[in-house]
Amino acid sequence: MRKVLVVFTVIQLALVVLQFYLATYGAFETPEPADPESAAIGWHVLNGFMVIPAVSLVTTILAAVARAPGKLIGLCAAPIVLVAIQMFVLFPLAELAGATMEKTTPASLYVLGFHAIVGVLLLGAAISAVRGAQAHARSGAGHQATETV
């Protein structure tokens, strides 16, 4: 189970790295499409609001089943929390500061700048989860080897 956890933390990390790629891919799309639904940034939104939280939930459950330490379980769950912060704190605050799909204000840009900072925190959590899962798997391998001797 510990090896499966390592695989899922690596998948989670790959999805976070993909998220950065998709953000840049969508940001440089020109000309900007009139329909946000067909925009390249839509893949960024889909991955960030649906795929990353779903994989994070599965990874968190696997961490609990693999009897990982609480800190590692928390790191596996961190992407869900950070996406929730994006959805329920940052974007509503940006709207309150005047951001719409058509325009932004200086105040809303200050708020939206934290979107990237939360993304960096997400990347850090994903990297730490991979390292923690690898250490947890190694500690289990040594424990199993001692039991069989």
Side-chain angles (χ1 to χ4, degrees):
M1 189 55 73
R2 293 174 186 212
K3 289 179 183 178
V4 174
L5 176 60
V6 171
V7 169
F8 269 82
T9 58
V10 169
I11 291 169
Q12 182 173 269
L13 175 59
L15 288 168
V16 172
V17 171
L18 176 65
Q19 187 70 351
F20 279 89
Y21 175 81
L22 292 172
T24 305
Y25 180 81
F28 290 111
E29 181 179 22
T30 7
E32 187 176 313
D35 179 18
E37 296 294 321
S38 64
I41 200 73
W43 290 103
H44 172 79
V45 173
L46 177 69
N47 188 51
F49 286 170
M50 303 283 281
V51 180
I52 289 174
V55 169
S56 178
L57 179 62
V58 171
T59 305
T60 304
I61 292 167
L62 284 171
V65 170
R67 297 185 181 176
K71 181 180 177 182
L72 179 54
I73 294 171
L75 287 168
C76 293
I80 298 170
V81 174
L82 292 168
V83 168
I85 289 170
Q86 302 276 30
M87 289 172 52
F88 301 117
V89 177
L90 284 180
F91 294 135
L93 282 176
E95 285 180 25
L96 286 173
T100 66
M101 290 300 286
E102 293 79 33
K103 70 174 181 70
T104 55
T105 63
S108 67
L109 290 173
Y110 286 119
V111 173
L112 289 170
F114 285 99
H115 180 64
I117 293 171
V118 172
V120 171
L121 293 173
L122 184 66
L123 179 61
I127 291 169
S128 296
V130 169
R131 290 179 178 163
Q134 289 171 334
H136 186 57
R138 281 192 302 272
S139 71
H143 182 67
Q144 289 171 350
T146 348
E147 287 180 0
T148 57
V149 173

